[in-house]
PDB file of all heavy atoms in Angstrom:
ATOM      1  N   MET U  10     159.646 196.974 128.599  1.00  0.00           N
ATOM      2  CA  MET U  10     160.882 197.202 129.354  1.00  0.00           C
ATOM      3  C   MET U  10     160.788 196.535 130.714  1.00  0.00           C
ATOM      4  O   MET U  10     159.728 196.483 131.321  1.00  0.00           O
ATOM      5  CB  MET U  10     161.129 198.718 129.511  1.00  0.00           C
ATOM      6  CG  MET U  10     162.429 199.065 130.232  1.00  0.00           C
ATOM      7  SD  MET U  10     162.725 200.840 130.366  1.00  0.00           S
ATOM      8  CE  MET U  10     163.232 201.219 128.705  1.00  0.00           C
ATOM      9  N   ILE U  19     169.741 211.800 140.229  1.00  0.00           N
ATOM     10  CA  ILE U  19     171.169 212.049 140.395  1.00  0.00           C
ATOM     11  C   ILE U  19     171.311 213.517 140.759  1.00  0.00           C
ATOM     12  O   ILE U  19     170.791 214.385 140.066  1.00  0.00           O
ATOM     13  CB  ILE U  19     171.953 211.759 139.105  1.00  0.00           C
ATOM     14  CG1 ILE U  19     171.784 210.301 138.690  1.00  0.00           C
ATOM     15  CG2 ILE U  19     173.426 212.077 139.292  1.00  0.00           C
ATOM     16  CD1 ILE U  19     172.415 209.977 137.343  1.00  0.00           C
ATOM     17  N   VAL U  44     162.114 167.769 142.595  1.00  0.00           N
ATOM     18  CA  VAL U  44     160.911 166.956 142.397  1.00  0.00           C
ATOM     19  C   VAL U  44     160.996 165.687 143.227  1.00  0.00           C
ATOM     20  O   VAL U  44     162.083 165.236 143.611  1.00  0.00           O
ATOM     21  CB  VAL U  44     160.722 166.581 140.902  1.00  0.00           C
ATOM     22  CG1 VAL U  44     160.575 167.828 140.037  1.00  0.00           C
ATOM     23  CG2 VAL U  44     161.883 165.743 140.399  1.00  0.00           C
ATOM     24  N   ARG U  46     161.142 161.959 143.618  1.00  0.00           N
ATOM     25  CA  ARG U  46     161.590 160.887 142.727  1.00  0.00           C
ATOM     26  C   ARG U  46     160.465 159.894 142.436  1.00  0.00           C
ATOM     27  O   ARG U  46     160.337 159.366 141.319  1.00  0.00           O
ATOM     28  CB  ARG U  46     162.781 160.158 143.359  1.00  0.00           C
ATOM     29  CG  ARG U  46     163.373 159.062 142.464  1.00  0.00           C
ATOM     30  CD  ARG U  46     164.338 158.184 143.253  1.00  0.00           C
ATOM     31  NE  ARG U  46     165.456 158.950 143.773  1.00  0.00           N
ATOM     32  CZ  ARG U  46     166.571 159.211 143.085  1.00  0.00           C
ATOM     33  NH1 ARG U  46     166.699 158.753 141.846  1.00  0.00           N
ATOM     34  NH2 ARG U  46     167.556 159.901 143.629  1.00  0.00           N
ATOM     35  N   ARG U  51     156.788 168.411 141.490  1.00  0.00           N
ATOM     36  CA  ARG U  51     157.573 169.363 142.270  1.00  0.00           C
ATOM     37  C   ARG U  51     157.171 169.322 143.742  1.00  0.00           C
ATOM     38  O   ARG U  51     155.991 169.159 144.076  1.00  0.00           O
ATOM     39  CB  ARG U  51     157.380 170.789 141.740  1.00  0.00           C
ATOM     40  CG  ARG U  51     158.013 171.032 140.381  1.00  0.00           C
ATOM     41  CD  ARG U  51     157.755 172.441 139.878  1.00  0.00           C
ATOM     42  NE  ARG U  51     158.306 173.437 140.796  1.00  0.00           N
ATOM     43  CZ  ARG U  51     158.215 174.747 140.589  1.00  0.00           C
ATOM     44  NH1 ARG U  51     157.595 175.209 139.508  1.00  0.00           N
ATOM     45  NH2 ARG U  51     158.745 175.601 141.439  1.00  0.00           N
ATOM     46  N   GLU U 101     173.460 211.504 145.425  1.00  0.00           N
ATOM     47  CA  GLU U 101     174.331 212.687 145.383  1.00  0.00           C
ATOM     48  C   GLU U 101     175.743 212.318 144.946  1.00  0.00           C
ATOM     49  O   GLU U 101     176.378 211.425 145.511  1.00  0.00           O
ATOM     50  CB  GLU U 101     174.397 213.352 146.752  1.00  0.00           C
ATOM     51  CG  GLU U 101     175.239 214.625 146.749  1.00  0.00           C
ATOM     52  CD  GLU U 101     175.344 215.274 148.114  1.00  0.00           C
ATOM     53  OE1 GLU U 101     174.789 214.705 149.080  1.00  0.00           O
ATOM     54  OE2 GLU U 101     175.982 216.328 148.218  1.00  0.00           O
ATOM     55  N   THR U 151     170.740 204.550 148.413  1.00  0.00           N
ATOM     56  CA  THR U 151     170.183 203.471 149.231  1.00  0.00           C
ATOM     57  C   THR U 151     169.330 202.572 148.357  1.00  0.00           C
ATOM     58  O   THR U 151     168.371 203.011 147.726  1.00  0.00           O
ATOM     59  CB  THR U 151     169.336 204.038 150.383  1.00  0.00           C
ATOM     60  OG1 THR U 151     170.174 204.795 151.251  1.00  0.00           O
ATOM     61  CG2 THR U 151     168.685 202.917 151.187  1.00  0.00           C
ATOM     62  N   ARG U 213     186.899 190.217 122.864  1.00  0.00           N
ATOM     63  CA  ARG U 213     185.651 190.026 122.124  1.00  0.00           C
ATOM     64  C   ARG U 213     184.766 189.073 122.928  1.00  0.00           C
ATOM     65  O   ARG U 213     184.875 187.850 122.808  1.00  0.00           O
ATOM     66  CB  ARG U 213     185.939 189.453 120.737  1.00  0.00           C
ATOM     67  CG  ARG U 213     186.785 190.381 119.851  1.00  0.00           C
ATOM     68  CD  ARG U 213     186.932 189.806 118.448  1.00  0.00           C
ATOM     69  NE  ARG U 213     187.709 190.694 117.588  1.00  0.00           N
ATOM     70  CZ  ARG U 213     189.026 190.641 117.441  1.00  0.00           C
ATOM     71  NH1 ARG U 213     189.727 189.728 118.115  1.00  0.00           N
ATOM     72  NH2 ARG U 213     189.648 191.477 116.630  1.00  0.00           N
ATOM     73  N   LYS U 243     186.727 164.443 128.162  1.00  0.00           N
ATOM     74  CA  LYS U 243     187.831 163.994 128.999  1.00  0.00           C
ATOM     75  C   LYS U 243     188.555 165.196 129.587  1.00  0.00           C
ATOM     76  O   LYS U 243     188.876 166.142 128.875  1.00  0.00           O
ATOM     77  CB  LYS U 243     188.804 163.139 128.181  1.00  0.00           C
ATOM     78  CG  LYS U 243     188.218 161.795 127.737  1.00  0.00           C
ATOM     79  CD  LYS U 243     189.260 160.986 126.978  1.00  0.00           C
ATOM     80  CE  LYS U 243     188.691 159.639 126.550  1.00  0.00           C
ATOM     81  NZ  LYS U 243     189.694 158.837 125.799  1.00  0.00           N
ATOM     82  N   SER U 260     204.603 174.758 125.218  1.00  0.00           N
ATOM     83  CA  SER U 260     203.394 175.570 125.127  1.00  0.00           C
ATOM     84  C   SER U 260     203.412 176.422 123.873  1.00  0.00           C
ATOM     85  O   SER U 260     202.403 176.557 123.175  1.00  0.00           O
ATOM     86  CB  SER U 260     203.269 176.471 126.371  1.00  0.00           C
ATOM     87  OG  SER U 260     203.134 175.697 127.538  1.00  0.00           O
ATOM     88  N   ALA U 266     198.455 175.235 116.943  1.00  0.00           N
ATOM     89  CA  ALA U 266     197.395 174.248 116.735  1.00  0.00           C
ATOM     90  C   ALA U 266     196.148 174.607 117.533  1.00  0.00           C
ATOM     91  O   ALA U 266     195.023 174.492 117.042  1.00  0.00           O
ATOM     92  CB  ALA U 266     197.895 172.862 117.138  1.00  0.00           C
TER      93      ALA U 266
END
Side-chain angles (χ1 to χ4, degrees):
M10 183 178 284
I19 300 174
V44 300
R46 183 192 299 274
R51 290 178 60 180
E101 183 182 2
T151 296
R213 297 185 179 90
K243 292 182 179 180
S260 297

